[in-house]
Amino acid sequence: MARVFGKSSAEAVQREKGRLAALEQLDLFNGPRDSGFDRIVRLIQQIFDVEIGLVSFIDGHRQWYQACSGLSADEVPLEDTFCRYVAADEQPMIVQDAMKDPRFVAHPAVTGPEHIRFYAGVPLKTKAGITIGTVCAIDRAPRSFGRRDLCVLEELAGVAMDRIELMQTASTDSLTEALTRRAFKREAEQLIAAALRHRHDLACILLDVDRFKLVNDTHGHAAGDEVLKAVAATCRANLRASDLFGRLGGEEFAILLPHIGAEDAMAAAEKLRAEVCARPICGDFGTLAVTASFGVSALSIVGRDVDTLLAQADAAMYRAKGSGRNRCVSWSSMQAANGMGARRRVLKAGSVIFNDRRSTVDCTVKSLGVDGAGITVTNTAGIPSEFRLAIKAEGFETACSVISGDRQNLEVAFR
């Protein structure tokens, strides 16, 4: 059974469905780092004199750090985070000494190398009152946290929500000068409508920088920023003025090509792949050889909207990563090999069930079709090639076979 912050009631399941729908509408997950959130977590550290400040979002299986100062991780499984209690109750939670709290005394974040002792977290809520994440002050020593402190932390959560709303209006990514995800999708819808109206071709390319997390972990975020700027500049230099170029996530970019069919789009993707691969990136960090994996989809009878095109290009891109990276794969080739129909981007909580139903892994379903899905888990290690996928909020469960994947992502076909 899929867990909903530790609850299994129908009411909790429907609340979780609404919460994920709000997150999907805001289109926040895996988005680029943002200096506004970075300032908030630094303020948390300075105001409360704590080691760790955090602004996070929570999807179906994990807590993802939009901004974090003082921890090395980018995300943590939902079952391993203090913040799941804040999200479940939709109320602030203060733990003055985790070693004296029965919920956390044996928690790995408390007993392990992170040695967390103090936690103060408040819900990050939309104007409609839906909790989409948390804002936290965390320390490695016990401490008190008064009413005035809590009021200040709640005000900072309000500032974070104001920042989220401001981001919804931005059209250009400040780091790469590409369109933001929301602006890209808005303009893509117009181009797709024109293509359907005038019956001309249109294709989508999605690219993801290979092993980008390793760049950040090894050389720092400044080096990662230089990589992203260089990849974006290479793409723009090789695109037409009529092409649409956007940054969808941290290291993920999308391109829409009007008047281009599937075959020519694959050629364009291969050209971009070769150009990115041929341009080492130099800086104070040394010289980095960078590659990217590409997925291609095209307008068709079943692929007639931006979410479908992106979901299908995304599935092809993960096939490229699973096949060795630094290559291009088309959705049409996957479709021919596996007989798959259209996909659409979604955000739903799910469960991977295997080992005769004795083992369950929480997941987030990121794309869905009548005959397959794309899912994200904390770690794919240990998940067999065949399992059952359940989406409790939809009353859905079916047998699956893995088509492709990487450390955190799986593309599956329904059996």
Side-chain angles (χ1 to χ4, degrees), residues 42-50 148-149 152 156:
R42 290 195 297 269
L43 278 171
I44 290 171
Q45 289 175 302
Q46 293 166 12
I47 291 170
F48 303 115
D49 191 25
V50 294
R148 179 182 177 279
D149 295 323
V152 172
L156 289 171

Side-chain angles (χ1 to χ4, degrees), residues 47-128:
I47 291 170
F48 303 115
D49 191 25
V50 294
E51 295 184 54
I52 301 159
L54 182 67
V55 175
S56 76
F57 303 124
I58 297 173
D59 66 4
H61 74 286
R62 62 175 174 162
Q63 178 183 17
W64 178 69
Y65 301 160
Q66 170 65 45
C68 179
S69 182
L71 291 174
S72 58
D74 296 322
E75 61 183 63
V76 65
L78 185 56
E79 61 192 27
D80 293 340
T81 174
F82 285 33
C83 293
R84 69 189 181 99
Y85 293 94
V86 177
D89 296 334
E90 299 185 316
Q91 296 292 330
M93 182 178 76
I94 299 170
V95 180
Q96 295 187 357
D97 187 349
M99 292 298 292
K100 298 179 179 178
D101 190 313
R103 294 171 297 179
F104 305 115
V105 65
H107 194 284
V110 177
T111 60
E114 292 292 357
H115 194 61
I116 301 303
R117 296 291 294 275
F118 166 79
Y119 171 92
V122 299
L124 181 61
K125 292 187 176 184
T126 67
K127 286 186 176 180

Side-chain angles (χ1 to χ4, degrees), residues 47 74 92-93 132 136 173 202 221 291 308 328 355:
I47 291 170
D74 296 322
M93 182 178 76
I132 58 173
C136 310
D173 175 58
L202 180 143
H221 285 291
T291 64
T308 300
C328 305
N355 192 22

Side-chain angles (χ1 to χ4, degrees), residues 51 71 76 79 82-83 103 129 143 151 183 186 188-189 194 204 213 227 243 322 351 353 379 386 412:
E51 295 184 54
L71 291 174
V76 65
E79 61 192 27
F82 285 33
C83 293
R103 294 171 297 179
R143 57 175 299 143
C151 288
R186 183 174 59 246
E189 287 170 354
C204 177
K213 187 177 186 301
V227 167
D243 297 332
S351 298
I353 305 168
N379 193 328
E386 295 188 349
V412 301

Side-chain angles (χ1 to χ4, degrees), residues 21 58 102 173 204 228 232 265 272 275 284 335 338 377:
I58 297 173
D173 175 58
C204 177
L228 294 175
L272 288 172
E275 289 288 339
D284 295 339
Q335 199 173 23
N338 299 285
V377 297

